[in-house]
Amino acid sequence: MTCDVSAVHARAIAAGKGAQHAFSDLSFELPVASFTALAGPNGSGKTTLFETLLGLASLRRGALDVFEQSPRKARSAVAYVPQASRLLHDGQFIGREFVAAAWRARRWGITWHQKAAAQAVDHALTQVDGHVLARRRLGELSGGQQQRLLVAQALVNQPRLLLMDEPLASLDPAAQEQIVALAAHLRNCLGMTVLFSTHDVNPVVDVADQVLYLAGGSGRLGTIDEIVNDEVLSALYGVPMHVVRERGRLFVMRDQAAGASRCVAEMARDAGRCA
Ligand SMILES: Nc1ncnc2c1ncn2[C@@H]1O[C@H](COP(=O)(O)OP(=O)(O)OP(=O)(O)O)[C@@H](O)[C@H]1O
């Protein structure tokens, strides 16, 4: 069966929380059951984009559909997974209580409700291979284990679009691999659409269908090869950028040599003007 409906369709959108737009003229499409890396430097608007998709920040311009509805109307189909390092808790909850706390009762009947909640929590814990974490206190868990429970909490209401906010931050490479594999499993086996923000695209190179790269007040969507290259990133950042490929890994940096030669050219031009 094919599905032509996009999970997200953004046309020339602008959004921001301060006086300035965080981004503007941003257009992209996330197909259903796709995995998109959301990349970009600090302050480029990744969190603002998540908030806009959740209907928490309003659009300043453009049009945005989530499953062909406004973000507010589509809210029940969308789940947000915050960074584990931002998880504020006293560590007293056990894993199962933490996951169950997110269950949204949508029907009447206490007995039915309790049974349905228990089933939803079990299902969510199974998806993240988290049953061993269910009886442990959050305060005892590693960052990677907490991140898995955060994903389970997001899954408890069976969302169709999963927004993962820097899930690899503060995790070691082995824990990063587990979280990337989990997100890929949710896309492959449950048909979820995943938008996964990360400062470094390397951990998701093998699983991401596309990257949405935000920088310089806007963004571009394409495959990693189409976007993470000197030409596109220099245009986005508005300064010369250089992408180095070393043993299959990508490193993005300011192109100091191009910057320096531009300085020399500008100095020579200015000197000519003064002469
Ligand atoms: N509450 C706020 N009021 C005003 N401006 C804000 C607010 N929060 C963020 N901003 C600004 O909005 C812009 C985008 O911020 P945002 O947090 O979306 O970026 P980000 O890409 O998620 O950054 P990071 O990678 O550091 O988390 C930044 O210029 C930031 O200074």
Side-chain angles (χ1 to χ4, degrees):
M1 189 182 84
T2 57
C3 181
D4 296 328
V5 175
S6 297
V8 176
H9 192 189
R11 275 104 60 211
I13 62 170
K17 287 181 279 191
Q20 309 258 329
H21 297 325
F23 50 77
S24 59
D25 201 23
L26 178 65
S27 296
F28 66 92
E29 198 166 346
L30 308 185
V32 166
S34 60
F35 186 123
T36 304
L38 176 61
N42 291 121
S44 56
K46 301 181 294 295
T47 304
T48 304
L49 178 59
F50 282 144
E51 290 175 359
T52 310
L53 290 167
L54 287 161
L56 300 174
S58 26
L59 270 191
R60 292 182 176 172
R61 273 192 222 142
L64 179 63
D65 297 328
V66 178
F67 297 112
E68 297 192 312
Q69 304 178 82
S70 70
R72 271 177 201 273
K73 285 195 176 151
R75 184 68 192 81
S76 63
V78 185
Y80 174 74
V81 184
Q83 290 182 24
S85 56
R86 291 195 183 154
L87 186 61
L88 298 175
H89 58 81
D90 61 8
Q92 294 306 305
F93 272 123
I94 60 168
R96 190 177 179 88
E97 290 166 344
F98 178 71
V99 174
W103 164 256
R104 272 196 296 261
R106 275 172 287 194
R107 295 176 180 84
W108 296 102
I110 299 289
T111 311
W112 186 93
H113 168 72
Q114 285 172 345
K115 201 170 159 195
Q119 281 173 349
V121 171
D122 279 338
H123 180 69
L125 285 168
T126 301
Q127 294 308 320
V128 305
D129 195 16
H131 283 286
V132 287
L133 309 176
R135 295 198 173 281
R136 295 187 54 192
R137 296 196 185 283
L138 262 63
E140 300 168 359
L141 303 179
S142 69
Q145 290 168 329
Q146 288 189 2
Q147 188 70 55
R148 274 161 56 204
L149 282 181
L150 280 163
V151 174
Q153 197 186 53
L155 296 180
V156 80
N157 295 304
Q158 297 171 359
R160 294 157 65 202
L161 171 62
L162 198 59
L163 308 177
M164 302 182 75
D165 195 352
E166 299 274 356
L168 306 183
S170 324
L171 298 186
D172 64 30
Q176 289 191 353
E177 267 179 37
Q178 277 196 350
I179 295 298
V180 171
L182 170 59
H185 162 82
L186 298 173
R187 185 270 308 267
N188 296 339
C189 302
L190 300 186
M192 264 178 213
T193 307
V194 177
L195 183 59
F196 188 109
S197 75
T198 178
H199 275 99
D200 178 11
V201 293
N202 287 297
V204 297
V205 160
D206 291 336
V207 299
D209 302 303
Q210 51 185 9
V211 58
L212 177 59
Y213 205 112
L214 303 184
S218 193
R220 288 273 300 271
L221 178 80
T223 63
I224 289 178
D225 283 346
E226 283 166 351
I227 302 297
V228 186
N229 59 58
D230 293 8
E231 192 189 338
V232 171
L233 292 191
S234 298
L236 267 179
Y237 279 85
V239 292
M241 299 296 291
H242 186 45
V243 179
V244 175
R245 215 176 253 275
E246 179 70 30
R247 297 184 191 197
R249 287 178 60 82
L250 295 160
F251 298 92
V252 175
M253 59 193 81
R254 282 282 293 269
D255 190 344
Q256 304 291 0
S261 57
R262 193 176 60 174
C263 272
V264 170
E266 280 169 6
M267 281 164 65
R269 193 192 59 211
D270 289 348
R273 229 184 257 147
C274 294

